[in-house]
């Protein structure tokens, strides 16, 4: 086997599709679970949907004229990935229940040793990691959490056997997942307390059902779906001006969010609680048109006091109030930078990835890492977005990997590795730009930043710029050998 792909979400499947299209069949997709889909398999909480328009949250070469809504629900996105697997004949390449324990570069044999959870060791020439960042749930370190005698779960591990009807429910967190499931929980719970540390900026969600005539146009009129997608792309891309050039340019975005609060939150006390005090964009901008109305319901309370402990019967906040509940739902997101840094990968000379990243996680274009030959990351460091579709970034990264593989073929080499000076040069320029961006200057602390306050998550520019810089690997940036 020449190549192993880890993960079967958009990243892993996108890589596999392009390999098949290039006529390359000697690869395997390693999936730790018993089904494909990545984050769209794992997250099945009520109300789960994409916050990027459907026509952009899909592969550019596999448009879907049949999306039912402007923002597709989880079930449709999962089904879309299944159709891609069927269309491109990927099923024989996917190995389920294949959890990767570790990767170790064998210098003498010039291949990777991929150790699986069942004891199997694979020896591919190259490895593409498509695990993404949103797959390790983040649980807050609250004293006493283990003592709670009711039901508790993270939104990414939703307990569908737990009937919330008539229950007293606590939700910890107000991030992208929480604002989707809170309105659904509010419809069933007898009481709901939402524990908020920092309020998010929320804008109206322009969601609607595509009428049958629109889907017919997308399906039968040549170029209609492509034109619609392209329009969405440029509308979203225009938002990057405020994100990347100057935080002051975020003012129009903030005005939209403030008007949204004014229209949907009539109670001044609640309005004060849900209005952020930092520049919009510093944290992820969320979209919802039913979250604020849910918070305004008489049986729903927003609690802004810190949680000091969890007891057998509920939560205690800093003001001494005991909040007795039956169910605790953690809407506390994912361990993004930790998920990358905690991988068990050993590169050239026995160097562990944690040692290579002792001063912070980084990669060349977020894809290749000095000292780790023939290893490629999709959705690696600083390739996330705050304004457009990450699927666009995945496609760009896949093209970069293919370009590296072509270099190997053209020069009849068997090892390719980014030069350390190229990686350093790229990341110095990247961090210089990020220091001026809203994520560092906006007055907030977010999961975009590592424990040193350095942004290791987001790309600081336009997506078309990233595409232009990654579409072809520069030979001088890489060392090849055989």
């Amino acid at each position: 086997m020449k190549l192993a792909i880890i993960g079967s979400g958009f990243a892993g499947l996108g890589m596999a599709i392009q390999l098949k299209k290039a006529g390359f069949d000697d690869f395997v997709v390693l999936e730790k679970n018993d089904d494909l889909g990545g984050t769209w398999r794992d997250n099945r909480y009520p109300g789960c949907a994409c916050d990027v328009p459907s026509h952009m949250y899909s592969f550019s070469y596999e448009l879907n004229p049949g999306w039912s809504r402007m923002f597709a629900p989880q079930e449709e996105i999962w089904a879309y990935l299944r159709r891609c697997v069927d269309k491109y004949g990927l099923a024989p390449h996917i190995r389920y229940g294949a959890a990767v324990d570790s990767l170790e570069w064998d210098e003498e044999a010039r291949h990777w040793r991929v150790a699986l959870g069942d004891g199997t060791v694979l020896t591919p020439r190259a490895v593409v990691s498509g695990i993404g960042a949103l797959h390790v749930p983040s649980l807050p370190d609250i004293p006493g959490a283990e003592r709670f005698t009711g039901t508790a779960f993270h939104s990414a591990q939703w307990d569908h056997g737990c009937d919330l009807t008539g229950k007293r429910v606590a939700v910890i967190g107000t991030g992208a997942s929480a604002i989707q499931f809170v309105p659904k929980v509010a419809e069933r719970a007898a009481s709901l307390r939402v524990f908020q540390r920092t309020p998010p900026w929320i804008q109206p969600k322009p969601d609607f059902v595509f009428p049958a005539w629109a889907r017919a146009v997308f399906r039968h009129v040549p170029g209609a779906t492509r034109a619609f997608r392209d329009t969405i792309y440029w509308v979203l891309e225009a938002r990057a001006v405020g994100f990347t050039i100057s935080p002051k340019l975020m003012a129009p975005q903030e005005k939209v969010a403030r008007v949204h609060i004014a229209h949907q939150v009539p109670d001044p006390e609640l309005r004060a609680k849900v209005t952020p005090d930092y520049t919009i964009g510093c944290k992820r901008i969320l979209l919802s048109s039913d979250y604020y109305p849910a918070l305004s319901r008489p049986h729903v309370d927003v609690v802004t006091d810190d949680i000091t402990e969890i007891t057998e019967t509920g939560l205690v906040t800093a003001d001494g109030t005991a909040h007795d509940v039956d169910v605790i739902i953690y809407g506390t997101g994912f361990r993004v930078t930790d998920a990358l840094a905690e991988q068990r990968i050993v590169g050239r000379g026995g160097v562990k990835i944690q040692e290579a990243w002792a001063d912070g996680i980084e990669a060349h274009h977020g894809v290749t890492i000095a000292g780790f030959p023939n290893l490629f990351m999709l959705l690696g460091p600083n390739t996330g977005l705050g304004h457009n579709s990450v699927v666009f970034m995945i496609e760009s990264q896949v093209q970069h990997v293919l370009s590296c593989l072509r270099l190997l073929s053209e020069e009849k080499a068997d090892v390719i590795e980014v030069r350390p000076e190229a990686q350093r040069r790229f990341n110095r320029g990247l961090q210089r730009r990020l220091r001026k961006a809203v994520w560092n200057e906006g007055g907030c602390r977010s999961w975009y930043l590592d424990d040193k306050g350095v942004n290791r998550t987001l790309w600081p520019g336009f997506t078309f710029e990233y595409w232009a810089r990654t579409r072809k690997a520069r030979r001088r940036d890489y060392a090849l050998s055989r």
Side-chain angles (χ1 to χ4, degrees):
M1 177 207 316
K2 289 186 178 180
L3 191 145
I5 300 169
I6 305 174
S8 66
F10 267 99
L13 296 180
M15 186 74 243
I17 289 170
Q18 291 302 326
L19 289 174
K20 293 283 282 189
K21 290 174 73 172
F24 186 87
D25 285 306
D26 193 7
F27 68 90
V28 65
V29 178
L30 302 173
E31 172 51 57
K32 65 181 179 180
N33 290 293
D34 59 1
D35 205 345
L36 60 88
T39 191
W40 297 107
R41 171 202 59 233
D42 296 340
N43 287 276
R44 306 187 203 179
Y45 56 79
C48 183
C50 192
D51 58 3
V52 173
S54 313
H55 286 268
M56 264 309 297
Y57 201 81
S58 50
F59 295 123
S60 63
Y61 50 82
E62 192 58 39
L63 303 183
N64 176 24
W67 292 117
S68 69
R69 308 186 64 90
M70 187 65 169
F71 294 84
Q74 173 264 338
E75 298 89 345
E76 282 191 47
I77 299 172
W78 198 12
Y80 170 82
L81 291 173
R82 292 176 184 277
R83 289 197 301 274
C84 288
V85 167
D86 292 340
K87 178 174 179 177
Y88 292 96
L90 301 183
H93 295 273
I94 303 176
R95 183 169 173 178
Y96 294 108
V100 175
D101 277 354
S102 65
L103 305 175
E104 185 170 354
W105 175 250
D106 187 325
E107 184 63 44
E108 184 176 350
R110 299 171 76 79
H111 61 219
W112 282 96
R113 292 179 56 82
V114 181
L116 305 183
D118 63 1
T120 304
V121 177
L122 307 179
T123 55
R125 288 289 180 190
V127 175
V128 178
S129 174
I131 62 172
L134 304 180
H135 67 102
V136 181
S138 175
L139 292 171
D141 184 17
I142 302 175
E146 73 286 349
R147 291 187 293 161
F148 183 61
T149 56
T151 302
F153 52 87
H154 190 278
S155 61
Q157 300 163 332
W158 196 272
D159 185 351
H160 291 278
C162 177
D163 184 2
L164 299 178
T165 304
K167 298 288 178 63
R168 300 168 300 170
V169 180
V171 169
I172 301 176
T174 54
S177 298
I179 71 160
Q180 292 186 340
F181 69 72
V182 161
K184 304 298 182 182
V185 173
E187 292 173 359
R188 308 188 67 177
S191 67
L192 172 60
R193 290 180 175 87
V194 178
F195 291 83
Q196 170 190 279
R197 184 173 59 181
T198 307
W201 281 111
I202 301 175
Q203 295 180 336
K205 188 174 186 178
D207 194 19
F208 56 87
V209 173
F210 286 116
W213 66 262
R215 294 198 302 274
V217 168
F218 290 145
R219 196 176 301 277
H220 300 297
V221 176
T225 306
R226 177 73 60 190
F228 188 66
R229 174 190 170 92
D230 290 349
T231 300
I232 294 172
Y233 172 80
W234 288 111
V235 169
L236 296 178
E237 194 69 355
R239 300 195 303 164
V241 173
F243 282 102
T244 62
I245 296 178
S246 171
K248 295 178 181 178
L249 298 175
M250 296 300 293
Q253 297 279 350
E254 186 166 314
K255 183 175 182 180
V256 171
R258 288 187 180 278
V259 170
H260 188 46
I261 295 174
H263 284 172
Q264 289 205 322
V265 186
D267 178 62
E269 183 179 350
L270 178 58
R271 193 184 311 144
K273 287 182 178 181
V274 300
T275 300
D277 60 0
Y278 54 87
T279 303
I280 191 170
C282 183
K283 290 177 177 283
R284 185 176 178 86
I285 299 175
L286 307 182
L287 301 177
S288 177
S289 295
D290 58 1
Y291 178 68
Y292 289 145
L295 299 186
S296 299
R297 297 176 70 144
H299 67 295
V300 179
D301 291 311
V302 175
V303 182
T304 58
D305 295 298
D306 290 342
I307 301 170
T308 55
E309 67 172 317
I310 295 177
T311 67
E312 291 83 355
T313 59
L315 307 92
V316 178
T317 46
D319 64 349
T321 303
H323 305 266
D324 289 343
V325 296
D326 305 305
V327 181
I328 298 175
I329 304 173
Y330 293 94
T332 45
F334 300 88
R335 295 167 56 200
V336 178
T337 54
D338 290 344
L340 292 173
E342 291 179 2
Q343 298 176 82
R344 296 173 62 186
I345 304 175
V346 180
R348 194 187 295 279
V351 175
K352 297 178 181 178
I353 197 135
Q354 290 80 8
E355 295 168 337
W357 283 345
D359 295 326
I361 63 174
E362 67 174 36
H364 186 53
H365 296 305
V367 179
T368 51
I369 308 165
F372 295 81
N374 293 6
L375 176 65
F376 308 95
M377 302 190 76
L378 304 177
L379 296 178
N382 292 109
T383 60
L385 295 175
H387 70 281
N388 212 322
S389 172
V390 74
V391 180
F392 181 95
M393 299 292 278
I394 290 171
E395 288 193 46
S396 299
Q397 292 155 32
V398 167
Q399 289 305 312
H400 192 76
V401 175
L402 292 176
S403 181
C404 289
L405 297 179
R406 289 190 200 99
L407 282 177
L408 282 173
S409 177
E410 291 167 1
E411 302 201 11
K412 295 182 173 55
D414 56 10
V415 170
I416 185 169
E417 179 183 352
V418 67
R419 297 181 186 276
E421 60 270 22
Q423 180 174 312
R424 285 194 297 268
R425 183 173 61 250
F426 171 79
N427 281 279
R428 278 198 303 267
L430 181 142
Q431 290 299 332
R432 189 163 52 246
R433 294 175 66 179
L434 280 168
R435 283 194 291 271
K436 303 175 185 177
V438 67
W439 308 295
N440 285 61
E441 296 293 327
C444 76
R445 177 81 186 179
S446 74
W447 56 267
Y448 297 148
L449 310 181
D450 66 10
D451 57 3
K452 298 176 183 176
V454 180
N455 192 325
R456 304 289 184 180
T457 307
L458 297 177
W459 169 247
F462 295 95
T463 60
F464 60 77
E465 176 192 358
Y466 184 83
W467 168 84
R469 296 180 67 171
T470 56
R471 59 193 300 264
K472 186 175 182 180
R474 296 198 302 183
R475 176 63 181 84
R476 64 179 179 272
D477 289 345
Y478 288 92
L480 284 86
S481 61
R482 61 179 176 178

